[in-house]
Amino acid sequence: MSEELNPFEIAQRQLDEAAELLKLGPGMHAFLREPMRELHVSLPVRMDDGSVKVFKGFRVQYNDARGPAKGGLRFHPDETIDTVRALAAWMTWKTAVVDIPLGGGKGGVICNPKEMSQAELERVSRAYIRQVGPILGPKRDVPAPDVYTNPQIMAWMMDEFSAMQGHGEPGVITGKPLALGGSAGRMDATARGGMYCLREAAKILGMDLKGATAAIQGYGNAGYYAQVLGEELLGLNVVCVSDSKGAILREDGLECEQVKAQKDETGTCVGLSDAEIISNEELLELDVDVLIPAALENVITAENADRVKAKIVVELANGPTTPEADEILHKNGVYVIPDFLCNAGGVVVSYFEGVQNAYNYYWELEEVHDKLDKKMTAAFKAVHQTAEAKKVHNRLAAYLVGVARVAGAVTLRGWV
Ligand code: GLU
Protein backbone atom coordinates (compact mmCIF):
# COMPACT_ATOMS: atom_id res chain seq x y z
CA MET A 1 0.00 0.00 0.00
CA SER A 2 1.36 3.42 -0.85
CA GLU A 3 1.92 5.90 1.95
CA GLU A 4 -0.88 8.31 2.94
CA LEU A 5 0.09 11.83 1.88
CA ASN A 6 -3.12 13.76 2.57
CA PRO A 7 -1.88 16.27 5.18
CA PHE A 8 -5.13 16.30 7.15
CA GLU A 9 -5.24 12.51 7.40
CA ILE A 10 -1.62 12.63 8.55
CA ALA A 11 -2.48 15.27 11.18
CA GLN A 12 -5.40 13.17 12.42
CA ARG A 13 -3.28 10.05 12.60
CA GLN A 14 -0.61 11.89 14.60
CA LEU A 15 -3.31 13.13 16.98
CA ASP A 16 -4.74 9.59 17.35
CA GLU A 17 -1.39 8.34 18.58
CA ALA A 18 -1.12 11.13 21.14
CA ALA A 19 -4.76 10.69 22.22
CA GLU A 20 -4.12 7.06 23.02
CA LEU A 21 -1.03 7.77 25.12
CA LEU A 22 -2.80 10.65 26.89
CA LYS A 23 -5.83 8.40 27.42
CA LEU A 24 -8.19 11.08 26.11
CA GLY A 25 -11.85 10.14 26.41
CA PRO A 26 -13.72 9.37 23.16
CA GLY A 27 -15.63 12.69 23.24
CA MET A 28 -12.48 14.80 23.66
CA HIS A 29 -10.64 12.75 21.03
CA ALA A 30 -13.46 13.16 18.50
CA PHE A 31 -13.67 16.92 19.20
CA LEU A 32 -9.92 17.49 18.71
CA ARG A 33 -9.89 15.49 15.43
CA GLU A 34 -11.96 18.07 13.53
CA PRO A 35 -11.89 21.84 12.99
CA MET A 36 -14.44 23.76 15.05
CA ARG A 37 -15.31 26.09 12.19
CA GLU A 38 -14.44 26.65 8.54
CA LEU A 39 -15.42 29.15 5.89
CA HIS A 40 -15.17 28.58 2.12
CA VAL A 41 -15.32 31.69 -0.03
CA SER A 42 -15.41 32.53 -3.68
CA LEU A 43 -13.64 35.73 -4.73
CA PRO A 44 -14.47 37.46 -8.01
CA VAL A 45 -11.44 39.58 -8.87
CA ARG A 46 -10.95 42.02 -11.77
CA MET A 47 -7.71 41.12 -13.55
CA ASP A 48 -5.46 43.67 -15.28
CA ASP A 49 -6.76 42.65 -18.73
CA GLY A 50 -10.32 43.55 -17.71
CA SER A 51 -11.58 39.98 -17.27
CA VAL A 52 -12.94 38.63 -13.98
CA LYS A 53 -11.35 35.59 -12.42
CA VAL A 54 -12.98 33.72 -9.55
CA PHE A 55 -10.58 32.50 -6.85
CA LYS A 56 -11.38 30.03 -4.08
CA GLY A 57 -10.36 30.81 -0.52
CA PHE A 58 -10.64 29.20 2.90
CA ARG A 59 -10.27 30.06 6.57
CA VAL A 60 -10.24 27.24 9.10
CA GLN A 61 -10.55 27.99 12.82
CA TYR A 62 -9.43 24.67 14.21
CA ASN A 63 -9.69 25.29 17.93
CA ASP A 64 -9.99 28.43 20.06
CA ALA A 65 -10.21 26.95 23.57
CA ARG A 66 -6.91 28.60 24.63
CA GLY A 67 -7.58 31.94 22.89
CA PRO A 68 -8.43 33.50 19.52
CA ALA A 69 -7.54 31.42 16.46
CA LYS A 70 -4.09 32.25 15.07
CA GLY A 71 -2.24 31.23 11.94
CA GLY A 72 -1.03 32.24 8.53
CA LEU A 73 -2.52 32.63 5.07
CA ARG A 74 -1.04 30.82 2.08
CA PHE A 75 -1.45 31.91 -1.53
CA HIS A 76 -0.57 28.77 -3.49
CA PRO A 77 -1.79 27.12 -6.72
CA ASP A 78 -1.90 23.67 -5.05
CA GLU A 79 -3.78 24.78 -1.93
CA THR A 80 -6.56 22.42 -0.81
CA ILE A 81 -9.03 22.52 2.07
CA ASP A 82 -7.37 19.45 3.59
CA THR A 83 -3.95 21.14 3.58
CA VAL A 84 -5.47 24.17 5.31
CA ARG A 85 -7.22 21.92 7.88
CA ALA A 86 -3.94 20.15 8.66
CA LEU A 87 -2.05 23.43 8.96
CA ALA A 88 -4.79 24.81 11.25
CA ALA A 89 -4.53 21.72 13.47
CA TRP A 90 -0.74 22.10 13.64
CA MET A 91 -1.19 25.79 14.60
CA THR A 92 -3.41 24.66 17.48
CA TRP A 93 -0.70 22.35 18.86
CA LYS A 94 1.98 24.98 18.04
CA THR A 95 0.50 27.82 20.09
CA ALA A 96 -0.07 25.33 22.93
CA VAL A 97 3.47 23.90 22.85
CA VAL A 98 5.01 27.39 23.15
CA ASP A 99 2.33 28.26 25.71
CA ILE A 100 0.90 31.47 24.26
CA PRO A 101 -2.77 32.31 24.90
CA LEU A 102 -4.00 31.64 21.37
CA GLY A 103 -5.77 28.91 19.43
CA GLY A 104 -5.06 27.59 15.96
CA GLY A 105 -6.28 28.58 12.51
CA LYS A 106 -5.10 28.78 8.92
CA GLY A 107 -6.27 30.19 5.63
CA GLY A 108 -5.46 30.10 1.99
CA VAL A 109 -6.37 31.22 -1.49
CA ILE A 110 -5.84 28.97 -4.51
CA CYS A 111 -3.80 31.28 -6.76
CA ASN A 112 -0.32 31.66 -8.17
CA PRO A 113 1.25 34.96 -7.04
CA LYS A 114 4.20 34.32 -9.36
CA GLU A 115 1.86 34.88 -12.32
CA MET A 116 0.01 37.90 -10.90
CA SER A 117 0.75 41.62 -10.95
CA GLN A 118 1.00 43.57 -7.68
CA ALA A 119 -2.36 45.21 -8.45
CA GLU A 120 -4.02 41.80 -8.94
CA LEU A 121 -2.45 40.51 -5.74
CA GLU A 122 -3.80 43.53 -3.87
CA ARG A 123 -7.32 42.98 -5.25
CA VAL A 124 -7.25 39.27 -4.24
CA SER A 125 -6.02 40.22 -0.74
CA ARG A 126 -8.75 42.82 -0.23
CA ALA A 127 -11.44 40.54 -1.70
CA TYR A 128 -10.41 37.80 0.74
CA ILE A 129 -10.80 40.14 3.72
CA ARG A 130 -14.18 41.44 2.52
CA GLN A 131 -15.44 37.85 2.56
CA VAL A 132 -13.66 36.46 5.61
CA GLY A 133 -13.49 39.70 7.65
CA PRO A 134 -16.70 39.04 9.62
CA ILE A 135 -15.09 36.07 11.40
CA LEU A 136 -11.73 37.83 12.00
CA GLY A 137 -10.57 40.32 14.64
CA PRO A 138 -8.10 40.52 17.54
CA LYS A 139 -10.56 38.68 19.78
CA ARG A 140 -11.67 36.13 17.18
CA ASP A 141 -9.00 35.10 14.71
CA VAL A 142 -5.74 36.78 13.66
CA PRO A 143 -4.07 35.80 10.34
CA ALA A 144 -0.38 36.27 9.45
CA PRO A 145 2.02 35.59 6.55
CA ASP A 146 2.86 32.10 5.31
CA VAL A 147 3.88 30.55 1.98
CA TYR A 148 3.86 33.25 -0.77
CA THR A 149 2.33 35.97 1.43
CA ASN A 150 4.29 38.86 2.95
CA PRO A 151 4.12 42.09 5.00
CA GLN A 152 2.74 44.10 2.05
CA ILE A 153 -0.18 41.68 1.74
CA MET A 154 -0.74 41.94 5.51
CA ALA A 155 -0.80 45.75 5.15
CA TRP A 156 -3.52 45.65 2.45
CA MET A 157 -5.54 43.20 4.51
CA MET A 158 -5.25 45.27 7.69
CA ASP A 159 -6.30 48.36 5.73
CA GLU A 160 -9.33 46.61 4.23
CA PHE A 161 -10.43 45.26 7.60
CA SER A 162 -9.97 48.67 9.22
CA ALA A 163 -12.10 50.26 6.48
CA MET A 164 -14.83 47.69 7.20
CA GLN A 165 -14.78 48.59 10.92
CA GLY A 166 -14.62 52.34 10.37
CA HIS A 167 -11.49 52.63 12.53
CA GLY A 168 -7.90 51.38 12.52
CA GLU A 169 -7.53 47.81 13.79
CA PRO A 170 -3.85 46.83 13.50
CA GLY A 171 -4.33 43.81 15.81
CA VAL A 172 -6.46 41.97 13.22
CA ILE A 173 -3.35 40.65 11.51
CA THR A 174 0.34 40.15 12.33
CA GLY A 175 3.49 40.19 10.26
CA LYS A 176 2.66 43.77 9.24
CA PRO A 177 5.36 46.21 8.08
CA LEU A 178 6.99 48.07 10.99
CA ALA A 179 5.44 51.38 9.91
CA LEU A 180 1.93 49.95 10.32
CA GLY A 181 2.27 48.36 13.76
CA GLY A 182 4.51 45.40 12.97
CA SER A 183 6.91 44.10 15.61
CA ALA A 184 10.67 44.44 15.55
CA GLY A 185 12.10 40.98 14.95
CA ARG A 186 9.07 39.46 13.18
CA MET A 187 10.80 39.08 9.78
CA ASP A 188 13.39 36.54 10.89
CA ALA A 189 11.45 35.12 13.86
CA THR A 190 10.60 31.71 12.37
CA ALA A 191 14.21 30.96 11.48
CA ARG A 192 15.55 32.51 14.71
CA GLY A 193 13.25 30.32 16.85
CA GLY A 194 14.47 27.27 14.89
CA MET A 195 18.11 28.24 15.47
CA TYR A 196 17.48 28.56 19.23
CA CYS A 197 16.03 25.01 19.14
CA LEU A 198 19.02 23.78 17.14
CA ARG A 199 21.38 25.33 19.72
CA GLU A 200 19.56 23.45 22.51
CA ALA A 201 19.53 20.17 20.55
CA ALA A 202 23.29 20.41 19.94
CA LYS A 203 23.87 20.88 23.69
CA ILE A 204 21.96 17.67 24.39
CA LEU A 205 23.79 15.75 21.68
CA GLY A 206 27.17 17.17 22.70
CA MET A 207 27.66 18.42 19.17
CA ASP A 208 29.77 21.42 18.18
CA LEU A 209 27.87 23.48 15.60
CA LYS A 210 30.78 25.75 14.72
CA GLY A 211 31.71 24.78 11.16
CA ALA A 212 29.03 22.06 11.07
CA THR A 213 27.65 21.63 7.55
CA ALA A 214 24.03 22.38 6.71
CA ALA A 215 21.63 22.07 3.77
CA ILE A 216 18.49 24.17 3.49
CA GLN A 217 15.54 23.17 1.33
CA GLY A 218 13.52 26.26 0.34
CA TYR A 219 14.74 29.84 0.10
CA GLY A 220 11.67 31.81 1.12
CA ASN A 221 11.56 33.85 4.32
CA ALA A 222 12.36 30.90 6.63
CA GLY A 223 15.06 29.36 4.43
CA TYR A 224 16.89 32.61 3.74
CA TYR A 225 17.00 33.68 7.38
CA ALA A 226 18.00 30.16 8.43
CA GLN A 227 21.16 30.66 6.41
CA VAL A 228 21.79 34.18 7.73
CA LEU A 229 21.18 33.26 11.38
CA GLY A 230 22.65 29.75 11.18
CA GLU A 231 25.92 31.43 10.25
CA GLU A 232 25.61 34.43 12.57
CA LEU A 233 24.32 32.75 15.74
CA LEU A 234 25.76 29.25 15.48
CA GLY A 235 28.63 29.37 12.99
CA LEU A 236 27.05 26.84 10.60
CA ASN A 237 28.60 26.27 7.21
CA VAL A 238 25.68 26.21 4.76
CA VAL A 239 26.82 24.20 1.76
CA CYS A 240 23.55 23.70 -0.09
CA VAL A 241 20.30 25.64 -0.55
CA SER A 242 17.39 25.21 -2.93
CA ASP A 243 14.15 26.63 -4.29
CA SER A 244 11.43 25.18 -6.52
CA LYS A 245 13.83 25.26 -9.53
CA GLY A 246 16.53 23.07 -7.93
CA ALA A 247 19.44 23.13 -5.47
CA ILE A 248 22.95 24.59 -5.49
CA LEU A 249 25.89 23.00 -3.70
CA ARG A 250 29.31 24.40 -2.85
CA GLU A 251 31.43 22.19 -0.57
CA ASP A 252 33.29 25.09 1.05
CA GLY A 253 30.11 27.04 1.77
CA LEU A 254 27.65 29.40 0.12
CA GLU A 255 27.65 33.12 0.88
CA CYS A 256 24.11 34.18 1.79
CA GLU A 257 24.21 37.71 0.37
CA GLN A 258 25.48 36.29 -2.92
CA VAL A 259 22.68 33.70 -3.06
CA LYS A 260 20.09 36.32 -2.14
CA ALA A 261 21.33 38.71 -4.84
CA GLN A 262 21.18 35.91 -7.43
CA LYS A 263 17.63 34.96 -6.36
CA ASP A 264 16.40 38.58 -6.34
CA GLU A 265 17.85 39.16 -9.77
CA THR A 266 16.77 35.99 -11.59
CA GLY A 267 13.96 34.59 -9.42
CA THR A 268 15.99 31.49 -8.50
CA CYS A 269 19.20 30.64 -6.68
CA VAL A 270 20.01 28.07 -9.37
CA GLY A 271 22.72 29.39 -11.66
CA LEU A 272 25.01 30.91 -9.02
CA SER A 273 28.59 30.77 -10.27
CA ASP A 274 30.96 28.12 -8.83
CA ALA A 275 28.05 26.13 -7.41
CA GLU A 276 27.10 22.65 -8.56
CA ILE A 277 23.43 22.18 -9.48
CA ILE A 278 21.69 19.21 -7.87
CA SER A 279 18.03 18.28 -7.33
CA ASN A 280 15.85 18.97 -4.29
CA GLU A 281 15.72 15.20 -3.67
CA GLU A 282 19.53 14.97 -3.65
CA LEU A 283 19.73 17.87 -1.19
CA LEU A 284 17.73 15.87 1.37
CA GLU A 285 20.20 12.98 1.18
CA LEU A 286 23.44 14.99 1.40
CA ASP A 287 26.06 13.99 3.92
CA VAL A 288 25.63 17.10 6.10
CA ASP A 289 25.34 17.54 9.88
CA VAL A 290 22.14 19.58 9.80
CA LEU A 291 19.24 19.32 7.35
CA ILE A 292 16.72 22.18 7.30
CA PRO A 293 13.52 21.55 5.34
CA ALA A 294 12.04 25.04 4.94
CA ALA A 295 9.61 24.61 2.03
CA LEU A 296 6.45 22.47 1.84
CA GLU A 297 4.86 19.30 3.23
CA ASN A 298 5.76 15.63 2.62
CA VAL A 299 9.37 15.87 1.45
CA ILE A 300 10.86 13.29 3.85
CA THR A 301 8.82 10.15 3.25
CA ALA A 302 9.00 6.36 3.68
CA GLU A 303 10.75 6.33 0.31
CA ASN A 304 13.80 8.49 1.16
CA ALA A 305 13.96 8.67 5.00
CA ASP A 306 16.47 5.83 5.19
CA ARG A 307 18.87 7.85 3.06
CA VAL A 308 18.82 10.98 5.25
CA LYS A 309 22.37 11.27 6.61
CA ALA A 310 22.03 14.43 8.72
CA LYS A 311 22.34 14.13 12.50
CA ILE A 312 19.72 16.80 13.19
CA VAL A 313 16.65 17.72 11.13
CA VAL A 314 15.44 21.27 11.78
CA GLU A 315 11.87 21.45 10.48
CA LEU A 316 11.16 25.05 9.57
CA ALA A 317 8.49 23.94 7.07
CA ASN A 318 5.10 22.72 8.27
CA GLY A 319 4.58 18.98 7.79
CA PRO A 320 7.81 18.09 5.90
CA THR A 321 8.04 14.56 7.38
CA THR A 322 5.43 11.80 7.05
CA PRO A 323 4.58 9.45 9.98
CA GLU A 324 6.36 6.50 8.30
CA ALA A 325 9.45 8.64 7.79
CA ASP A 326 9.31 9.71 11.45
CA GLU A 327 9.63 6.08 12.55
CA ILE A 328 12.56 5.50 10.19
CA LEU A 329 14.44 8.64 11.28
CA HIS A 330 13.88 7.75 14.94
CA LYS A 331 15.14 4.19 14.39
CA ASN A 332 18.21 5.59 12.60
CA GLY A 333 19.01 7.93 15.49
CA VAL A 334 18.35 11.16 13.56
CA TYR A 335 17.38 13.93 15.98
CA VAL A 336 14.26 15.64 14.58
CA ILE A 337 13.17 19.02 15.92
CA PRO A 338 9.51 18.75 14.92
CA ASP A 339 7.80 21.46 12.89
CA PHE A 340 5.28 22.89 15.30
CA LEU A 341 7.97 23.31 17.94
CA CYS A 342 10.82 24.25 15.61
CA ASN A 343 9.01 26.85 13.48
CA ALA A 344 6.95 28.38 16.31
CA GLY A 345 9.18 31.47 16.50
CA GLY A 346 7.00 33.16 13.87
CA VAL A 347 3.80 32.84 15.83
CA VAL A 348 5.53 33.70 19.11
CA VAL A 349 6.63 37.06 17.71
CA SER A 350 3.18 37.41 16.10
CA TYR A 351 1.78 37.09 19.62
CA PHE A 352 4.23 39.77 20.79
CA GLU A 353 3.05 41.93 17.88
CA GLY A 354 -0.58 41.53 19.01
CA VAL A 355 0.36 42.48 22.58
CA GLN A 356 2.20 45.59 21.34
CA ASN A 357 -0.77 46.57 19.14
CA ALA A 358 -3.12 46.22 22.11
CA TYR A 359 -0.87 48.43 24.27
CA ASN A 360 0.03 50.73 21.39
CA TYR A 361 3.55 50.66 22.82
CA TYR A 362 6.45 49.05 20.94
CA TRP A 363 9.45 47.06 22.17
CA GLU A 364 13.12 47.25 21.28
CA LEU A 365 14.58 44.47 19.12
CA GLU A 366 16.67 43.08 22.01
CA GLU A 367 13.57 42.69 24.13
CA VAL A 368 11.84 40.69 21.38
CA HIS A 369 14.88 38.43 20.92
CA ASP A 370 15.21 37.85 24.63
CA LYS A 371 11.53 37.00 25.13
CA LEU A 372 11.54 34.75 22.03
CA ASP A 373 14.59 32.86 23.28
CA LYS A 374 12.93 32.23 26.65
CA LYS A 375 9.72 30.92 25.04
CA MET A 376 11.51 28.67 22.52
CA THR A 377 13.97 27.28 25.05
CA ALA A 378 11.21 26.47 27.55
CA ALA A 379 9.14 24.75 24.83
CA PHE A 380 12.16 22.81 23.57
CA LYS A 381 12.93 21.58 27.09
CA ALA A 382 9.31 20.56 27.76
CA VAL A 383 9.28 18.48 24.56
CA HIS A 384 12.72 16.98 25.13
CA GLN A 385 11.90 16.00 28.71
CA THR A 386 8.62 14.41 27.60
CA ALA A 387 10.40 12.44 24.87
CA GLU A 388 12.86 11.10 27.44
CA ALA A 389 10.25 10.34 30.09
CA LYS A 390 7.80 8.62 27.73
CA LYS A 391 10.46 7.10 25.46
CA VAL A 392 8.83 8.45 22.29
CA HIS A 393 10.17 10.42 19.33
CA ASN A 394 10.20 14.20 19.52
CA ARG A 395 7.13 14.76 17.34
CA LEU A 396 4.98 12.52 19.48
CA ALA A 397 6.41 14.23 22.57
CA ALA A 398 5.46 17.64 21.13
CA TYR A 399 1.95 16.31 20.51
CA LEU A 400 1.74 15.05 24.10
CA VAL A 401 2.65 18.50 25.44
CA GLY A 402 0.47 20.52 23.03
CA VAL A 403 -2.62 18.30 22.97
CA ALA A 404 -2.67 17.94 26.77
CA ARG A 405 -2.72 21.73 27.13
CA VAL A 406 -5.55 22.15 24.60
CA ALA A 407 -7.55 19.31 26.14
CA GLY A 408 -7.04 20.89 29.57
CA ALA A 409 -8.50 24.19 28.35
CA VAL A 410 -11.42 22.40 26.67
CA THR A 411 -12.18 20.60 29.95
CA LEU A 412 -11.92 23.76 32.04
CA ARG A 413 -14.39 25.49 29.72
CA GLY A 414 -16.76 22.57 30.17
CA TRP A 415 -17.05 21.87 26.43
CA VAL A 416 -16.37 18.14 26.70
N1 GLU B 1 2.53 31.06 9.23
C1 GLU B 1 3.37 30.94 10.39
C2 GLU B 1 3.25 29.55 10.98
O1 GLU B 1 2.97 28.59 10.32
C3 GLU B 1 3.11 32.05 11.39
C4 GLU B 1 1.72 32.10 11.93
C5 GLU B 1 1.42 33.35 12.74
O2 GLU B 1 2.31 34.13 12.96
O3 GLU B 1 0.26 33.48 13.13
O4 GLU B 1 3.54 29.35 12.13
Side-chain angles (χ1 to χ4, degrees), residues 118-275:
Q118 282 295 100
E120 289 169 342
L121 210 49
E122 174 172 355
R123 289 195 288 273
V124 168
S125 304
R126 290 187 186 275
Y128 180 83
I129 292 300
R130 283 196 300 277
Q131 296 273 9
V132 178
I135 66 164
L136 302 179
K139 292 183 181 161
R140 294 193 180 107
D141 181 0
V142 182
D146 203 284
V147 172
Y148 294 165
T149 55
N150 57 33
Q152 174 62 76
I153 292 176
M154 300 305 110
W156 291 323
M157 290 183 164
M158 184 276 274
D159 181 69
E160 192 67 28
F161 186 84
S162 296
M164 286 163 72
Q165 310 309 306
H167 58 84
E169 190 70 281
V172 68
I173 207 156
T174 59
K176 298 178 294 294
L178 276 177
L180 293 180
S183 175
R186 178 64 184 81
M187 271 312 272
D188 68 14
T190 304
R192 184 175 291 272
M195 293 307 118
Y196 292 153
C197 287
L198 174 57
R199 179 195 67 202
E200 295 304 308
K203 277 188 208 161
I204 284 162
L205 300 172
M207 195 172 145
D208 185 6
L209 290 173
K210 209 159 173 19
T213 52
I216 304 173
Q217 187 191 46
Y219 214 67
N221 176 281
Y224 165 66
Y225 282 112
Q227 182 178 14
V228 174
L229 297 173
E231 288 174 11
E232 184 187 311
L233 302 177
L234 307 172
L236 292 182
N237 176 24
V238 178
V239 295
C240 187
V241 302
S242 76
D243 58 31
S244 59
K245 302 278 188 315
I248 50 170
L249 169 69
R250 196 190 279 157
E251 300 286 351
D252 53 3
L254 292 161
E255 221 266 286
C256 54
E257 289 320 314
Q258 221 185 351
V259 181
K260 177 85 166 41
Q262 156 85 18
K263 176 127 179 124
D264 287 349
E265 215 173 288
T266 66
T268 172
C269 46
V270 176
L272 187 76
S273 57
D274 301 334

